[in-house]
Amino acid sequence: MSPTQIAVLVLLLPLASAAAIALLLRRRGAVAAWLSTGAAGVVAALSFVLLFDGGREFPASWEWLRFGDFAVSLGFKFDDLAALMLFVVSFVGFLIHVFSLGYMHDDGAKARFFGGLSIFMFSMLGIVLADNLFMIFIFWELVGFSSWLLINHYHEKQSAADASKKAFIVNRVGDFGFLLGIILCYWTYGTVDLTELGELTAGGVKAVSVAIPLLLFCGALGKSAQMPLHVWLPDAMEGPTPVSALIHAATMVAAGIYMLCRVEFLMVPEALQAIACVGTVTALYAALCAIVQNDIKKVLAYSTLSQLGYMVAAFGLGSMVLVSPDAFIGTEPLRKVIPWGVAAAMFHLTTHAFFKALMFLGSGSVIHGCHHEQDIFKMGGLAKKMPITFWTFTIGVLAIIGFPLLAGFFSKDAILYLAFEKNKAIFAVLALTAVLTSFYMVRLWKITFLGEARSDHAKHAHESGLTMTLPLILLASLSIIGGYHFIFGKLGGSIADMVPHPHGSMHITMIVISLVVMTVGAGAALLFYKPAATDALEAKSPAAFNGLVALKESFDKVYDYYVAKVQQRFAMLINFLEQIFLAGLIIRGCAGLVGLIGMGARALHTGSLHAYVYWFLLGAAVLWAFAAGSS
């Protein structure tokens, strides 16, 4: 098969799986689960073929809709950036499917769950392979729909229903800005094709204003949960744990980062500065919130927010480029640029997908083994009862805190070095965030796994089955080796060559800084927290604890106030005006007027020939007067 045919199969197999489940297998959960997982496995295999044997930059585009001169096309753009993201989505997605076979084994709505996974995979793969902004937006919205469907899996719970609606609405706010950015881009350049836009900017045509990149960034604010549109992500933990791993750790939230890297050539310095600041603030805020969480999944959710902030900050900071003189448009050389920020952000996106998916699935294994208990202060003693989960989760924790030679050490070190070179203030904030990351992750690890069991659920915990532990082992392996150049270079190609790495004395300096921030944070957590049934910070410093809780709740209170006092009242006003003017005066008024005219017309039908003659003569006179006046 040609690379184009393989790409079509990669895209359409999950859609076919979702359609078959929806139409034929809604009451056959086991068959639906294996069909969805099998489709994900084939997608992963075909993706490997594309990655290593299919070549890059193969052209494929089909016109879908046309309105005059305006056309919407569906096509593929497969370069190093798409190849790297394709590996993350397909391989990590497949492992999460396998894990779900065990985790969702007894779920009565298993068919709906796996159908949702398949439609989500189809949507994400569409974003990865899209060659223009309109196609990205189409699949962008499909991702929003499938996310709502999966978060709302336990729809009988009010909290899950509320969380799914919150995620859907908040993302639509960002998506509206994203759509405006796409429209303005088309208005300015006459195209939204990514290749054509790249050629225009390479030829010296720059963005006319900061509006285009900032409006496009609105899409990333929603999907990648950056402040102030971050509030949906922690609540989305109401969905099943595999959903948290797939959507909120490895793929969906990474779509915003991927989209920014796709449109990097449209960025201007003012937009990049704003993006870097937003990412930095989000990273610090989320790390502070994670310290006071007691739900194992919500700790990981705020950790995800913080790490996404790292990626956004890296994208905004990077501007140094690699010029490839061997690329041409006709006879003219084309400058292919791969900024440091793109390389650093995608490097951390990839390693983060490995160790964060590992920890989310590890938390799912813990929750499953503890009979769906999620409070870490009601766990303890799980290291002996769940050894595979314990050791793989430990590797994930070590990777995210930057333990030497693990994947997170290399990718986080690249971002810190980039910040050190570009902006010392942002570097200081990101270094503090790294300290906090070590602190709250070691807190989570120690309270969850060490000490004695603190509840009946923990006392009767058991290790998960093979379908759940095998993905943990594979992801733990990638969390160890995924940061090495010989691995990342195979996946990312030229992107790997532009990952910022310090040299000489700076290399030693950055290693020392990384080790110091990791040791300070981890050491403080090991000394401060004991495996107990209460939070040591709340007991020893209630003011600090309550302050961090208030910080976490502040945005929710603002949003709740806005919804209740502004949005709801505005909706009530609109409803009132609709009832009075639209439904009342216009619709009912017009209906009443037509009714009166009808009653009058019926009154003219008297059955008397003399009356009809008079009306005829009156009509003739009126017609004569009108004709004479118009002449």
Side-chain angles (χ1 to χ4, degrees):
M1 288 189 295
S2 67
T4 302
Q5 292 172 325
I6 295 174
V8 170
L9 277 177
V10 166
L11 179 61
L12 295 183
L13 273 175
L15 178 62
S17 169
I21 293 171
L23 297 174
L24 305 173
L25 302 173
R26 295 172 65 182
R27 298 184 182 278
R28 304 184 64 183
V31 179
W34 283 104
L35 175 63
S36 179
T37 305
V42 175
V43 166
L46 292 175
S47 299
F48 272 87
V49 174
L50 273 182
L51 284 168
F52 299 111
D53 296 324
R56 306 283 166 91
E57 303 290 354
F58 53 84
S61 183
W62 304 270
E63 187 175 296
W64 181 40
L65 293 174
R66 175 170 288 276
F67 304 98
D69 295 332
F70 173 72
V72 177
S73 297
L74 301 179
F76 299 144
K77 181 177 177 62
F78 192 73
D79 52 9
D80 289 336
L81 187 63
L84 183 59
M85 193 67 181
L86 179 63
F87 172 79
V88 171
V89 173
S90 62
F91 185 70
V92 176
F94 171 61
L95 293 182
I96 292 172
H97 273 77
V98 174
F99 182 89
S100 300
L101 290 174
Y103 190 86
M104 304 297 292
H105 181 268
D106 298 324
D107 193 285
K110 185 161 50 175
R112 173 161 51 84
F113 173 82
F114 278 94
L117 286 186
S118 289
I119 197 68
F120 175 81
M121 290 288 288
F122 165 69
S123 306
M124 271 303 305
L125 291 168
I127 292 176
V128 172
L129 296 172
D131 71 340
N132 65 83
L133 290 175
F134 279 124
M135 182 177 172
I136 288 178
F137 186 77
I138 292 168
F139 285 99
W140 196 268
E141 295 305 299
L142 284 174
V143 165
F145 161 73
S146 52
S147 170
W148 168 83
L149 181 66
L150 290 167
I151 297 170
N152 197 34
H153 180 72
Y154 301 126
H155 56 83
E156 66 279 0
K157 291 172 56 180
Q158 187 61 43
S159 57
D162 292 342
S164 64
K165 288 188 290 186
K166 188 175 186 178
F168 191 85
I169 293 171
V170 171
N171 272 275
R172 297 295 75 73
V173 175
D175 293 354
F176 180 69
F178 185 31
L179 179 60
L180 291 179
I182 294 173
I183 294 172
L184 184 57
C185 183
Y186 183 81
W187 183 274
T188 303
Y189 296 105
T191 182
V192 290
D193 183 273
L194 295 171
T195 301
E196 293 177 2
L197 286 171
E199 292 170 358
L200 287 172
T201 55
V205 179
K206 297 297 183 183
V208 295
S209 71
V210 74
I212 292 176
L214 286 183
L215 285 171
L216 293 176
F217 178 56
C218 287
L221 279 179
K223 280 289 185 291
S224 292
Q226 297 298 286
M227 293 175 69
L229 300 183
H230 65 283
V231 293
W232 67 270
L233 186 64
D235 289 1
M237 297 303 109
E238 292 291 339
T241 303
V243 171
S244 303
L246 179 65
I247 294 180
H248 310 120
T251 55
M252 174 182 164
V253 290
I257 311 299
Y258 176 77
M259 183 273 292
L260 287 177
C261 295
R262 264 283 178 242
V263 299
E264 186 279 332
F265 43 74
L266 295 175
M267 295 293 163
V268 296
E270 296 84 358
L272 289 171
Q273 184 176 8
I275 290 170
C277 291
V278 169
T280 303
V281 172
T282 303
L284 178 60
Y285 166 82
L288 291 170
C289 291
I291 294 173
V292 293
Q293 300 301 309
N294 61 349
D295 185 312
I296 186 172
K297 289 173 62 177
K298 288 197 173 182
V299 176
L300 296 176
Y302 279 105
S303 172
T304 299
L305 280 177
S306 184
Q307 297 304 306
L308 289 168
Y310 259 90
M311 300 173 208
V312 171
F315 174 83
L317 287 169
S319 61
M320 295 184 67
V321 301
L322 171 69
V323 178
S324 179
D326 56 347
F328 291 83
I329 304 175
T331 58
E332 297 296 322
L334 168 66
R335 295 178 68 233
K336 283 194 171 182
V337 296
I338 304 173
W340 270 16
V342 170
M346 288 303 298
F347 188 23
H348 197 53
L349 182 154
T350 305
T351 61
H352 177 262
F354 299 151
F355 55 71
K356 187 53 66 66
L358 166 63
M359 287 188 288
F360 262 112
L361 294 185
S363 72
S365 180
V366 168
I367 294 168
H368 186 267
C370 292
H371 307 282
H372 299 283
E373 177 59 68
Q374 295 186 203
D375 189 338
I376 60 175
F377 293 101
K378 295 180 180 179
M379 296 178 183
L382 300 181
K384 296 179 180 179
K385 296 179 179 294
M386 307 180 69
I388 298 176
T389 300
F390 167 69
W391 286 111
T392 54
F393 196 95
T394 300
I395 291 173
V397 170
L398 292 175
I400 195 174
I401 68 174
F403 191 83
L405 305 182
L406 271 65
F409 171 79
F410 295 105
S411 60
K412 186 177 290 188
D413 187 61
I415 293 177
L416 288 176
Y417 171 60
L418 179 61
F420 188 85
E421 289 289 320
K422 296 291 184 178
N423 190 308
K424 295 297 192 296
I426 290 180
F427 166 77
V429 175
L430 293 182
L432 173 60
T433 303
V435 174
L436 297 175
T437 301
S438 298
F439 182 79
Y440 67 72
M441 287 308 305
V442 172
R443 165 188 179 265
L444 170 66
W445 171 82
K446 185 174 182 180
I447 294 172
T448 301
F449 290 99
L450 301 187
E452 299 297 326
R454 296 183 292 274
S455 69
D456 289 336
H457 292 315
K459 291 177 182 177
H460 296 94
H462 56 84
E463 185 61 274
S464 304
L466 183 62
T467 57
M468 297 174 66
T469 55
L470 181 59
L472 297 180
I473 294 171
L474 293 175
L475 287 169
S477 301
L478 287 172
S479 299
I480 296 173
I481 66 173
Y484 288 92
H485 190 276
F486 72 91
I487 295 293
F488 187 67
K490 287 290 185 181
L491 301 174
S494 56
I495 295 176
D497 298 329
M498 278 308 297
V499 173
H501 291 299
H503 299 283
S505 60
M506 180 56 65
H507 181 65
I508 303 299
T509 301
M510 293 309 303
I511 290 179
V512 171
I513 292 174
S514 297
L515 291 176
V516 168
V517 297
M518 180 196 69
T519 304
V520 170
L526 288 172
L527 293 174
F528 188 75
Y529 287 100
K530 300 293 188 290
T534 57
D535 193 313
L537 181 60
E538 183 178 14
K540 297 179 180 179
S541 182
F545 182 88
N546 293 330
L548 292 176
V549 171
L551 177 67
K552 177 262 176 188
E553 294 177 348
S554 58
F555 277 90
D556 284 329
K557 289 181 178 179
V558 170
Y559 275 91
D560 290 342
Y561 178 86
Y562 166 77
V563 170
K565 302 298 184 182
V566 180
Q567 180 176 292
Q568 190 65 19
R569 293 182 178 181
F570 180 72
M572 292 171 65
L573 174 63
I574 295 297
N575 180 67
F576 173 77
L577 296 176
E578 187 271 338
Q579 293 294 326
I580 296 298
F581 292 102
L582 183 61
L585 293 179
I586 297 178
I587 296 177
R588 292 189 179 93
C590 289
L593 178 62
V594 171
L596 289 174
I597 294 174
M599 291 174 61
R602 286 196 302 272
L604 298 178
H605 293 275
T606 62
S608 171
L609 180 61
H610 298 86
Y612 295 156
V613 170
Y614 289 137
W615 284 116
F616 173 77
L617 293 175
L618 178 62
V622 171
L623 180 61
W624 175 80
F626 176 77
S630 63
S631 63

